[in-house]
Each structure stands twice: as C-alpha cells, then as structure tokens.
Amino acid sequence: MDTKHLGVNSKLVHAGSVHDAYGSATVPIYQTSTFAFANAQNGADRFAGQADGYIYTRLGNPTIDALERQVAEIENACGAVATSSGMGAVSTLYMALLSQGAHLVGTASVYGPSRGLIEKHFSRFGVTCTFLDTSNLDAVRCAIRPNTRLVYLETPSNPAMIVSDIQAIAAIAHERGCLVAVDNTFASPYLQRPLDLGADVVLHSVTKFINGHADVVGGILAARDEALCKSLRTMMIGLGCNMDPHQAYLVHRGLKTLGIRVERAQATAIRIAQWLEAHPKVEWVRYIGLPSHPQHELAKRQMSGFGSMISFEVKGGLEAGRVLMDNVRLATLAVSLGGVETLVEHPASMTHAGMSPEARLGADITDGLVRYSVGIEDAEDLIADLKQALERV
Ligand SMILES: *Cc1c(COP(=O)(O)O)cnc(C)c1O
C-alpha cells in the first residue's frame, strides 16, 4: 500500500507492511539466517542484484526490511538501515563518513558514548573533533574547518535539553561542503523530522521512543539520498552490526503506537514540569515546553510538540538527589528513556559518578540534577509519587 499521502499516525500503522501468501495482518518474523536460491543462476542473479530475493540476514531480511521502510516513510527518508543498537548506528555513521584527517563538529552535550567514540577511538585514526554548544550558531560557524566532514547534532540533547536550530545549521554546513547528521532519539520522528529541515542523515536509538516498551535494544539510520543510504548499508554490513529479525518485529510493533504514546506522555510532562517549577525544594526545571526554557521558541518552530523528557535540580545537591532516588515508588530507578513506564535517573550518583565534579559541570550535569522520562501512567499518580519523595528530601 502506498502510504506517502497519509497522515503520520496512519503511516505509523501501515508503512512497511508485508503482503505474504497467507494475508498475515502483521509482519511475520523471518527468523532465518539464510535464504535458498532456486538454482545456481538465481543465486548468481541475486548477488548481482538482477533478481529479487534475499541472500543472507546480515545483508537483508524481510522483517528488518519492513521496519526500515516504516522508519524511512515517517522520516521522509530515501531509505533506512537498521542496526543492532543505537551505538551501532552511531559507529556505522562515523565509519561511513569520516576518514583519516577528517574533522567533526558536534553538540557538546550529546549522548556520552557518541562523543567518547570520536574522542577516544577515532582519534587513533587521525580524526579530530570540536564539541560545542550548537545552540550558538556563530560558534558552529567558527568551528567548521576546511577538513570538517560532518556536523553531528543531538537536539534536544541529553540531559541538558539544549535545542539546536537544524535548518540554520544545515544551511551553514552545506555552504561549507559538510554533511549534517541528527540524533533524533529524544524527539522521536513523531515530533521532529530533521531531513525535512535540511539534515542529510537522521539516527535513532530505537531502544527509546521508537520501540517504546523497554524490551529491545536497537538502532536505525535514515538518509536523504540513495548514495548515502547505500554507503551506510555497506558499512553496516561490513561492521556486522545488523538488527535481528525478532528484534525488528518488536520494534515494528512498538512503532505503530508512537503517536498515541508521545501525545499522552507529553500531556503529562507539561503538568509535571509546571508542578515541579512551583515546588519549593526544586531549584530549576528544564523542559522545552516551559516558556522558561532558553530555546522554547525554537523548539516550538522546529518540533510539533515538546516531548516527555524533563531535567530538574533538587535543592541540596548530591545527597538530596540520592534521597529522592531512594523514595520514588512509581517511577522506576533506571537509565534509558522513552518507554511506557516512567524512569528516573540521577546522573551524579549513577551514570556520571565516575566523572570528576568539574568534568560533570562541564557537561552541564550539576549534583542535584535529576532526569525524568515521563511514561503513560496517570499524571495524578506520578505527581503524588514525586510529592511524597520530595517531602523526604
Ligand atoms: C541511548 C541513546 C543512544 C545509544 O543507543 P543504544 O541503543 O543504547 O546503543 C544514542 N543516542 C541517544 C540520544 C540515546 O539516548
């Protein structure tokens, strides 16, 4: 079925469907490593791309294909390449686009490992980088060098919730001959479509909003044109970080309800953010839907909603953050985000405890900062949970 003309929710449900001999209403799980050729000539033709049919699951599989078509359709991409994890997508992107001597400009507060991979590992092969506050367009303009190949944005970023202007940065980067990739994990394609704003590649940790049920780790890349898609796929196949058919099935199923999950979670998120902002034990709240957020107006222009990620600072630093963590009951104390269940995390005592306080501050992580990923529970219950936990701080 051609879903191009449909609305986003209809696309989510119907894009990437598979029409098999039995009329299966959902995408079957083709749990196979390999595909039989009809005869020697047919095998030769499939390898040469002159006959339809699959060859080997690392190179392609109908269930994985269905997910790739579904994501490409909603991101308005030419095609998509699914990967074993979000970091599989990040490493495929870097390997495909950066060669010896290349320079990358990136958002300072990107997902930690996306930055660490460049700084600690790609540096061994002569790749250099500049990570900065990409909400500052002049800083981005100045950071681009003749050998810059890629501008790597994460917007909104994690957990600082900094919003970068994709359209303006794409114009700056393209004028200087470099490509733009956007990690769209926090917004999800329901709220933000970077390719429509001029980006060349968009990527997701599908572990988060796209799958949405905290039961799969996975990633995906989607690109604006055929040549880019092809080079990303060739690299993914070479690195061997393909998605598995069962994983693809679960993500395809989860993605169908992205719209209703995001709508509900963000309706609750604004209520929680406003409630927190008025709470005497809360120093500040960073939620892109609040007028107090420094890039609220940009977020309003660039996204069709504000999502469900909130960062806030409890008064009393590290200890206060710890006490809050020990007293929430409904919210699950865990890393990750974007699922139907509300998750809460305290970076200073958990994910970023290994960093020095100075290094944490450099990454905008203060000691009392709490990251809260709003799920689809009842808003009243989540507020009551936070209320009783904050009373103990
Ligand atoms: C989780 C995450 C990743 C990495 O994804 P994995 O699926 O854990 O490998 C990359 N970027 C962002 C913004 C993330 O939140």
Side-chain angles (χ1 to χ4, degrees):
M1 179 185 181
D2 181 10
T3 52
K4 289 238 174 339
H5 62 288
L6 298 175
V8 58
N9 283 290
S10 307
K11 280 183 180 172
L12 285 168
V13 175
H14 294 284
S17 51
V18 167
H19 301 285
D20 69 354
Y22 305 102
S24 174
T26 60
V27 173
I29 308 172
Y30 288 91
Q31 196 71 39
T32 181
S33 60
T34 195
F35 298 84
F37 304 132
N39 51 45
Q41 187 56 49
N42 176 245
D45 289 346
R46 285 196 205 178
F47 269 104
Q50 283 160 3
D52 284 343
Y54 296 89
I55 296 171
Y56 183 65
T57 283
R58 179 161 48 80
L59 317 185
N61 171 291
T63 314
I64 301 169
D65 230 35
L67 172 66
E68 290 173 342
R69 284 185 283 119
Q70 188 187 23
V71 171
E73 182 86 36
I74 180 161
E75 285 284 10
N76 290 326
C78 185
V81 180
T83 54
S84 53
S85 69
M87 284 313 297
V90 173
S91 51
T92 298
L93 174 82
Y94 290 167
M95 281 295 280
L97 300 183
L98 303 171
S99 302
Q100 192 171 45
H103 175 250
L104 171 142
V105 170
T107 306
S109 52
V110 284
Y111 183 70
S114 305
R115 181 168 173 170
L117 191 60
I118 288 285
E119 289 180 333
K120 297 196 186 84
H121 301 289
F122 276 69
S123 57
R124 292 191 285 130
F125 310 110
V127 173
T128 54
C129 57
T130 308
F131 284 96
L132 48 88
D133 177 359
T134 49
S135 70
N136 180 342
L137 294 178
D138 285 331
V140 173
R141 205 175 276 115
C142 293
I144 295 177
R145 305 175 188 167
N147 60 333
T148 305
R149 291 288 163 270
L150 181 64
V151 176
Y152 183 85
L153 304 175
E154 187 177 307
T155 177
S157 70
N158 168 31
M161 303 304 296
I162 288 168
V163 181
S164 304
D165 189 333
I166 299 171
Q167 196 159 25
I169 293 173
I172 294 168
H174 290 158
E175 200 175 289
R176 306 282 292 276
C178 43
L179 296 176
V180 176
V182 178
D183 183 334
N184 201 24
T185 301
F186 264 47
S188 91
Y190 186 75
L191 298 179
Q192 175 171 275
R193 284 183 282 282
L195 301 183
D196 290 352
L197 297 167
D200 303 284
V201 182
V202 56
L203 71 97
H204 289 275
S205 165
V206 304
T207 314
K208 318 293 167 52
F209 288 98
I210 285 192
N211 178 59
H213 292 76
D215 52 7
V216 173
V217 167
I220 204 156
L221 292 150
R224 169 204 273 299
D225 68 47
E226 194 72 55
L228 258 175
C229 254
K230 205 164 167 202
S231 72
L232 292 169
R233 184 170 302 283
T234 303
M235 188 51 69
M236 181 282 289
I237 291 170
L239 291 172
C241 57
N242 59 287
M243 193 175 267
D244 172 83
H246 189 256
Q247 196 185 357
Y249 165 79
L250 286 170
V251 178
H252 189 276
R253 182 172 72 164
L255 182 51
K256 291 181 188 188
T257 57
L258 178 70
I260 55 173
R261 285 187 282 110
V262 167
E263 291 287 0
R264 178 172 173 86
Q266 72 179 0
T268 303
I270 184 70
R271 286 181 58 187
I272 294 178
Q274 285 165 344
W275 182 83
L276 283 169
E277 207 168 40
H279 198 287
K281 287 187 181 168
V282 173
E283 189 73 46
W284 50 254
V285 179
R286 206 165 299 141
Y287 175 62
I288 56 174
L290 290 175
S292 59
H293 188 284
Q295 291 105 33
H296 174 67
E297 288 305 319
L298 169 60
K300 219 175 183 172
R301 253 191 291 131
Q302 180 162 280
M303 303 168 66
S304 58
F306 301 115
S308 49
M309 293 303 299
I310 302 173
S311 290
F312 63 97
E313 172 91 13
V314 212
K315 288 182 183 164
L318 200 66
E319 188 48 33
R322 243 190 227 127
V323 173
L324 183 72
M325 292 302 106
D326 282 339
N327 286 287
V328 285
R329 298 200 183 104
L330 185 56
T332 303
L333 196 52
V335 294
S336 199
L337 59 109
V340 292
E341 61 291 292
T342 295
L343 299 182
V344 65
E345 203 243 317
H346 179 221
S349 71
M350 299 173 175
T351 40
H352 299 69
M355 283 164 83
S356 68
E358 299 76 44
R360 276 203 298 267
L361 268 182
D364 286 322
I365 298 164
T366 47
D367 280 350
L369 187 145
V370 172
R371 193 181 76 180
Y372 198 81
S373 167
V374 181
I376 63 168
E377 299 95 336
D378 290 292
E380 295 74 17
D381 292 335
L382 291 170
I383 290 174
D385 183 40
L386 279 170
K387 184 168 186 281
Q388 61 81 27
L390 279 167
E391 271 161 14
R392 289 169 167 79
V393 170

